Amino acid sequence: MELALGTVQFGLAYGAVGSGRQVDDDTARAILALAWDSGVRTLDTAAGYGDIEARLAGLCGPHDFRIVSKIAPLGRLSAPAERAAAVRASVERSLQRLGPRLQAVHMTQVSDDDLALLVESDTSVVHCPESNLKLSSGHCPVAALSAAGVNVALGTDGFGRSDARAALRRSAAWSWGPAAMPTSTAPG
């Protein structure tokens, strides 16, 4: 298991321990250095966390963190073409800001052009099947991503309540299709 450090408090007035203040850059750098020295290698961020995506690479200094990011909020966009365009624009902005450190989460609206961009930029995808199902946000094309050479990782998000083995079984069922459905739901 690997821990990731969240960065919302670096970009919004979320504050450390609910202080309601944005963490200043010097404190953020110190937190990142301590995290690195403690073995943390992954940061979690999002386009919706204020300006942190634009500043995070600079705050990391010499530490080569992997950075997981989520797309910008889609708001009230309902037309599939509008949603796909917004997703692509968000990923492109994240790539410009974070470069090769980016690991894109969810990726449920992947077009052929998006797939080409992921391959070209060597961007990894973090597939979160439970979130995608709960949010009805779409289907992450794991088989197509893998076939194209995109590194796909399994993400779970349930504040520690998810059994990793059960998450893997569900991921197989939801990502690879009915042939991969588990025959048992028992742990193991």
Side-chain angles (χ1 to χ4, degrees):
M1 177 184 294
E2 182 177 331
L3 293 177
L5 176 66
T7 63
V8 66
Q9 71 277 15
F10 300 164
L12 295 173
Y14 185 82
V17 194
S19 69
R21 293 187 319 269
Q22 183 175 337
V23 174
D24 65 79
D25 285 357
D26 288 338
T27 302
R29 281 187 200 92
I31 291 169
L32 291 168
L34 179 59
W36 184 267
D37 291 346
S38 300
V40 174
R41 297 295 182 262
T42 303
L43 303 177
D44 173 82
T45 197
Y49 293 175
D51 65 350
I52 192 55
E53 256 197 5
R55 296 174 29 244
L56 192 53
L59 292 172
C60 289
H63 309 299
D64 192 23
F65 287 102
R66 291 178 303 272
I67 302 175
V68 175
S69 190
K70 282 79 71 188
I71 62 168
L74 298 178
R76 298 180 185 262
L77 298 178
S78 59
E82 288 179 315
R83 293 177 68 82
V87 168
R88 182 171 181 82
S90 181
V91 170
E92 287 175 344
R93 281 190 305 274
S94 293
L95 278 168
Q96 288 171 351
R97 295 171 181 161
L98 301 170
R101 299 176 182 208
L102 174 65
Q103 296 180 359
V105 179
H106 301 297
M107 298 307 294
T108 59
Q109 312 292 321
V110 180
S111 69
D112 289 342
D113 289 341
D114 298 333
L115 182 57
L117 176 64
L118 293 169
V119 170
E120 178 186 322
S121 62
D122 198 27
T123 299
S124 295
V125 169
V126 181
H127 170 46
C128 300
E130 292 181 342
S131 290
N132 297 345
L133 183 65
K134 287 177 197 168
L135 299 171
S136 298
S137 61
H139 172 77
C140 180
V142 172
L145 291 165
S146 295
V150 175
N151 180 52
V152 180
L154 174 64
T156 60
D157 38 11
F159 301 103
R161 65 165 175 72
S162 294
D163 173 340
R165 291 173 293 188
L168 284 170
R169 284 192 299 274
R170 285 188 296 271
S171 177
W174 296 334
S175 304
W176 297 96
M181 289 292 285
T183 57
S184 168
T185 57

